Every structure is written in structure tokens, then in C-alpha cells.
Amino acid sequence: MTDSTPGHGTGRTVLLRRGEIHSPADPFATAMVTEGGRIAWIGSEGAADSLAANADETVDLDGALVTPAFTDAHVHTTATGLALTGLDLTGAGSLAEALALVEAHAKAAPAGLTLLGHGWDSSRWPEQRPPARAELDRAAGHRPLYLSRVDVHSALATTALLELVPGVTARTGYHPDAPLTDDAHHAVRKAAYATVSPAQRTGAQRAALRHAAALGIGSVHECAGPDISGEDDFASLLRLAAEENLPRVFGYWAEHCTTVRDTGRIRELGAIGAAGDLFADGSLGSHTAHLHTPYADTGHTGTAHLDAGDIAAHVTACTEAGLQAGFHAIGDAAITAVTEGVRAAADKLGLHRVRALRHRVEHAEMLTDGTIAAFADLALTASVQPAFDAAWGGTEGMYARRLGKDRARTLNPYAALLRAGVPIAFGSDAPVTPLDPWGTLRAAAFHRTAEHRISVRAAFTAHTRGGWRALGRDDAGVLAPGAPADYAVWKAGDLLVQTPDTRIARWSTDPRSATPGLPDLTPGTGLPQCLRTVVAGRTVHDRLNE
């Protein structure tokens, strides 16, 4: 596997000192040396004195915290950038407010452009409904407009945009006056994104990656595919990350494979796996996640895009080619199909061969004891998003309305995954939820369902080493000699060892514990501020001297 950061380090020797170095190699370390793109040494202040003379640069941390850079294991980079630079409805608190934002954006946008927006969530609005098409047409000034729901599994479109998609009314998921889903949604999204110029696209990608760097994120896993973005978008993103001083981008391409020959195309695109958002189902918010039992607020069980046979064929082809496979699966029926399909591939090829590839499952929300055990046995990585629970969990949240309170309480069981030994990688699914690594840790440690909470330390590992391990890399995501020099410098308060279980101490500052501390993430406390982000020895974000 190749790293996508230009130059892989500068060849310079940098000494960081007088700080707090979060390292299992030395829990009391205050100094660190990097040489080129690697960490060369970690230790005490006294030893740093003897190294200063040979350093090309010495950085006085003035007590700042240094941690591994975060890895966001599930991102849609271009869409994230378009949301950052365009019409963002995530803050809209009502139907009227959403329509007002659309109208203001349409009036300000240059004539001739297709309008793009994201983030509406009518489940949070007092009206409890999305805009009707006539309302949206008026607000947009009868211009083409594409508005993805917050979960990106359904969308609204104006009449002017629908007219650009021949045959859209005959496609699965078309609704005359309701959000588009399934094939109709994919066709309309493709038509809308086709109007984005290369310059717009590059600007959006650059904005997203710079924003990630400013949050201490050193790597992202781009989850692309033919039903999500497009080959040009994917290739341009990988090229941008390779050529500019930005976080690393590891690209996944979600295209179904049935033969080893199919996997060759995945590699030709520059992808590291035929994984990411290869949809086994949809989402809970859009009623398209595939369930064993009908939704509580509607009479159906969602949508299955792949069955166990489809999944077995894909995993078999990828395993035979030595390529990582993966799927998007949220509902319990979809997750059952994934585990049964992967099991069938393991029965055919041998369990050890399937386990070795660390195939992954995105989201994996409606797990049971049986599917958790299957994940552990098959060495499936759970690529999960704790901010989903923060946004939609709890007894009054969207999950409870879709599933009923009892089923909703079972969602996102991070503690059970860890107890079973399932590898976990944390991400955001941006723009579905924002890039926000410390907020992600807080959401996992203070899960709305208490029995699913995990320690801050475990959450931190999932958002640093977990993302690298999901790539098959065990040498990164940690500050230790020989590891990649991917780190972030933080302004933070007191460091604690924080756990979510009230039966034991919630934090410890006793140095005898020899456990590196982390910032206090108790809800209501301020989150750390990123001062510098370094990737492979190169600074990609810097506010250290401001």
C-alpha cells in the first residue's frame, strides 16, 4: 500500500519538547523527534537536551498535547466540501427555515448553475414533513436544485432538475411529491453532480481536506463508487491528495465484483478495496435500511440491495484477488445477509484466507449477539459513526420513532463489539455528520444508551489506530519509534483517564497508573483546539505560533 502524501516527509529532523506526548512507548514522555516521515525517538526532557544540537528545527510545545493524528474511516470528500462551501441545511430547525435558506441561496447563486444542497432532516422539524415539490420549486426560483437528506439515502429535487433526467418517473424510488430513493435518487444525483465543473469539484475537495487538517485529521478513507460520485471525481481526489500538502486519502470504490478479473478494474482506479458504500441496504432515516421486522412508523421492512449470495460472490472474488471487500449495512436483515455471505465465502476459500483481508462493514448499527459473534469470528472490521447515536439516538430520537424504543436501544453497541474482540474504526460519514474527531469520541464515551458506552481511551484508539488497522496497517496511528510521523498538537486542559462506567473511577491523574491521559470529554466541557497537524513529517495545518 502506498501513502498518498507528497514526498513522504521532508528529510528534516524535528525536535518537539516541553509538551505532553501521548505515547504507549513512554507514558511520561515530554519530547519527540521525527526524521523525515517517521518518528525517531520519544522520551524525557533531559534526554532532549542532548538531541537539540542535531535538530533542524526545535518546537517548544509550551505544555501542549501531542497525539497521533486522527483517521476518519468514512468520508465523502467532494460532498463534504460542497456542503462546506454551498447550501447546508443541517442547521435548519423547521420547514419554513429550510425554504428560506434555499431561497436566499438561489438568489445569491450565479444564473445558470444547478443548485446543490445537503442536510435537511424533517424528523427534527415541527412540521414533520419535507417540502412539497411546488414549495421547493418556488423557493429555488424554478431552477434545478438537488437537496440530499442528512443521511444521503434520499433527496429532494425541483421540477427543473427532474426534467434533465429522461425516464426518471419510471425508475424505482421515484415519488411524484415525496423524497426520491433508490435508482431514481441515484440517477438524479448523477445528473446534478455532472453539472459541477472540474474547478468547483477541486475547490470542494480542497476545502474538505483543509478542514479535516484543521481538526487534527491526518487521513481519511474516501468511500466512493458508481452510485455515489463517479470515476472522474475519485481520480481527481486521489490526484489532489498526492500533489498538494493535504491529509492522506485512502480510496475505496464500491463496485460489486463477481470474478477476480472484476477486481482488476478496482485497482486500476487507484482504490485499495472494493468496499465502502457497496450498499446492502439504505438508511433508517429514509426507511430504506433492511429490517427483519417492519418499521414501527410504517408497514414495510426497507430495501435489500444485495442478498447473501451477492455478498458471497463479492467476498470470494476479492479474497481470491487479495483485495479488501466491504459493504454498507445498517438494518439487522442487511447485516445478517452480510455475515451469511462472508461465512459462505469462508466455507469455500478457508476461514484464514477471509480473515486475513480484514473485510469491513460500514455503519453496522442493528447488531445482535449472533452477528457480533460472526464479526469476531470472520475478523470483520466495524467501521462505525458514534455521531449517529448523538444525533438520532435516545428514547425520543429518530431511531426510536423508526423502530420503537426497545429496538432503538440496541443500536450501535460499541461496548459489546469491543468485548467480543471486533476491530472498530471510527468515522463521520461526512457530510452526513460533521468531521469532528473529539466530538466523535465524546459520543462514544457518553452514548445515549449507557450499556453501549466505551472508555475515552478505547474510543481514541478506534479513531487513530483503528482506521489504520482497517487498512491492514498495524504500524501506524500511534506515537512510537518507527511509526509514521502523523501527529497533531493540541491546546487542551487537564489530562485524565476517563471511563464511562460509574462502578469504577471515572478518571485518574495518578502517575502510577502509567496510562497516558486524554482531555476531559464530559459533555459541556470545551473540546481541544488543534494547533498543528503533521502528515508524514509535513505540516498540513499550522496555528501553533498564532
Side-chain angles (χ1 to χ4, degrees), residues 66-337:
V66 181
T67 71
F70 287 103
T71 292
D72 192 308
H74 193 121
V75 173
H76 305 285
T77 307
T78 303
T80 299
L82 290 171
L84 288 169
T85 59
L87 175 56
D88 184 359
L89 297 182
T90 54
S94 68
L95 171 62
E97 186 178 348
L99 289 170
L101 288 169
V102 170
E103 183 175 1
H105 181 74
K107 288 179 177 177
L113 286 182
T114 296
L115 306 177
L116 302 172
H118 168 74
W120 61 272
D121 184 358
S122 57
S123 71
R124 295 185 173 195
W125 298 346
E127 299 89 350
Q128 288 291 297
R129 70 169 180 88
R133 191 189 303 167
E135 294 173 313
L136 204 59
D137 285 345
R138 286 193 297 271
H142 300 280
R143 297 174 63 173
L145 167 66
Y146 169 82
L147 277 183
S148 54
R149 191 184 182 279
V150 66
D151 58 12
V152 199
H153 284 273
S154 60
L156 301 168
T158 56
T159 302
L161 178 58
L162 293 173
E163 289 174 346
L164 300 177
V165 187
V168 67
T169 59
R171 290 179 179 267
T172 304
Y174 173 80
H175 309 283
D177 204 26
L180 305 168
T181 59
D182 299 324
D183 190 42
H185 174 214
H186 297 159
V188 171
R189 175 168 56 192
K190 184 176 182 179
Y193 278 23
T195 67
V196 176
S197 70
Q200 282 180 286
R201 181 175 62 205
T202 298
Q205 293 169 347
R206 187 179 289 116
L209 292 176
R210 286 179 175 171
H211 182 58
L215 296 169
I217 297 170
S219 302
V220 301
H221 298 184
E222 166 68 10
C223 292
D227 291 332
I228 303 165
S229 49
E231 293 181 18
D232 289 346
D233 181 270
F234 188 62
S236 68
L237 174 63
L238 296 182
R239 185 166 55 249
L240 178 72
E243 293 174 351
E244 297 192 11
N245 213 37
L246 295 165
R248 306 176 193 258
V249 175
F250 297 100
Y252 285 95
W253 186 255
E255 188 166 333
H256 189 250
C257 300
T258 58
T259 68
V260 172
R261 178 176 293 181
D262 293 339
T263 68
R265 210 182 90 74
I266 307 296
R267 287 197 167 101
E268 288 172 4
L269 289 171
I272 62 171
D277 277 335
L278 181 53
F279 297 118
D281 67 344
S283 73
L284 293 165
S286 292
H287 291 102
T288 53
H290 188 208
L291 313 183
H292 284 303
T293 305
Y295 286 88
D297 58 351
T298 189
H300 62 78
T301 56
T303 305
H305 296 300
L306 299 171
D307 61 23
D310 298 323
I311 289 158
H314 183 74
V315 174
T316 298
C318 290
T319 302
E320 288 180 327
L323 185 70
Q324 188 181 32
F327 307 90
H328 161 121
I330 287 178
D332 51 1
I335 295 172
T336 296

